[in-house]
Each structure stands twice: as C-alpha cells, then as structure tokens.
Amino acid sequence: MNVRNILKSVVTIAALLFSFNLSAAAPATKAKKDMKSIIVYFSHSGNTELAAEKLAEVTGSPIVRILPAEPYTAADVDWVNEQSRCTQEHLNQTLRPAIKPLDVDFSQYDTVFIGFPIWWHEEPAVIRTFLDNTDLKGKELYPFCTSYESPMSEADATLQKAYPTLKWHTGLRLPASTEKIKDWIDK
C-alpha cells in the first residue's frame, strides 16, 4: 500500500467517525423536527397571517386560520374607544366571541403553534374561545404574536395563568429570522 492509499483510508475513517458523532447527537434535534405540528392563528390585519406563513416555511406545518363568527371591523379594534369590541373583551375577561368551527383533528398533532396579534398587551378573546373549546392537554404549545411594540411576555403570563394545565413554551414575537425561529422551537 502506498502512502496515498493510506492517507485516503485515514481520511475515510476520520470522516466516518465524524459522521457517526454527528448522528449520535442528532436525535434530540431530529425529534423536534419529526414532531407532528400544526399552526393555528387569528389575524385581523394580515400581519399574523404573514407570520404564520413564515413559521410554516420553517416547520413545514399546515396552517389553519381561526375566524370569528362575527368578523372584527376597524371600529371593533379601535383600542382608544372604551366601547369598542376589543376594549370590552379586554375589560371583561369572561367574554368569548364565537368562532367558526375548525376542521382539524387535534389528536393527530403533538405540537400546536398558536398565533395572534397583541391586543391590550395580551391575546385577543378569540384565542381564549379557541383554547376553551379545544382539547390541547398533553400537547406542546408554542404561542407567537405580532405587535408593533408590545412584548410577548405579557401574553405568555396571561395564557399560563388562564390555562395552567397546558404545556406552554415561552412565546415569540414575529417577524423573526429563520434561525431565531429554529432556536425558539429547539429550546
């Protein structure tokens, strides 16, 4: 055997060992990628819909939109008007606006991404309607939001307080880079 063949053999063995070490570390990440997930979102202006589509690009998950039975008008989401629908739903946390039925068998999914715009520093009442009427026990829940300036942290707190038996992950405000979204999911 000449020196060239010996070097080829050493390089091949090193590459195999390196590959084996990478695959040994891969199952934790692969398990996250193999999770059966779905994206469910509510969007009024279209921003959360764009965020859900970006998340779907990263995860490969199907998308389902939550639609209120009575759509919100511009006047309904005028937060400076104390009589507006969104303000009243914020002030009276027991209000649950009706939503159109979702044609989804959630038992087929182990992970649910739940998206919404931030209204009054929290999730809209439509999201609470969805959570009240959907069996998500045992599922990994990843909330995400869109907002011009409100952080996700207050919505995280209200969701965890209102639904303490569900498995919440810390939420993410979108838009965000693909890498940031991947890091969020892998935590």
Side-chain angles (χ1 to χ4, degrees):
M1 227 183 192
N2 65 29
V3 174
R4 183 178 219 156
N5 287 341
I6 292 172
L7 284 174
K8 275 185 169 179
S9 297
V10 169
V11 169
T12 301
I13 292 170
L16 287 170
L17 288 173
F18 181 72
S19 174
F20 176 74
N21 284 336
L22 285 179
S23 66
T29 304
K30 188 169 176 17
K32 289 277 188 175
K33 289 180 182 173
D34 288 344
M35 63 186 172
K36 187 137 186 192
S37 61
I38 189 167
I39 300 165
V40 180
Y41 73 95
F42 164 69
S43 185
H44 170 67
S45 66
N47 292 329
T48 307
E49 182 171 32
L50 292 173
E53 289 170 356
K54 171 69 174 182
L55 185 56
E57 287 175 20
V58 174
T59 63
S61 304
I63 302 175
V64 176
R65 184 173 185 169
I66 298 170
L67 294 169
E70 181 184 329
Y72 288 85
T73 66
D76 289 336
V77 297
D78 180 5
W79 63 273
V80 296
N81 176 354
E82 290 184 14
Q83 300 308 311
S84 73
R85 188 170 160 196
C86 77
T87 301
Q88 291 302 306
E89 290 170 355
H90 165 69
L91 294 173
N92 182 349
Q93 292 284 309
T94 64
L95 293 177
R96 297 293 189 268
I99 61 175
K100 293 183 179 181
L102 300 176
D103 188 21
V104 177
D105 179 0
F106 284 97
S107 70
Q108 301 299 308
Y109 299 96
D110 52 20
T111 302
V112 181
F113 295 95
I114 304 171
F116 48 86
I118 294 288
W119 289 356
W120 286 99
H121 300 278
E122 63 193 17
E123 73 287 347
V126 168
I127 295 299
R128 294 189 290 272
T129 300
F130 165 73
L131 292 169
D132 287 352
N133 294 297
T134 309
D135 182 8
L136 298 174
K137 291 181 186 99
K139 313 252 181 250
E140 302 288 328
L141 303 179
Y142 288 82
F144 66 95
C145 75
T146 54
S147 170
Y148 289 112
E149 58 186 52
S150 298
M152 180 70 200
S153 58
E154 291 180 58
D156 276 337
T158 60
L159 289 168
Q160 289 174 12
K161 182 179 179 184
Y163 304 93
T165 61
L166 298 179
K167 290 176 70 176
W168 293 104
H169 289 263
T170 300
L172 180 66
R173 188 171 97 180
L174 296 175
S177 69
T178 298
E179 288 309 310
K180 188 168 185 172
I181 293 170
K182 287 179 181 178
D183 288 346
W184 170 58
I185 295 168
D186 286 340
K187 284 184 181 177

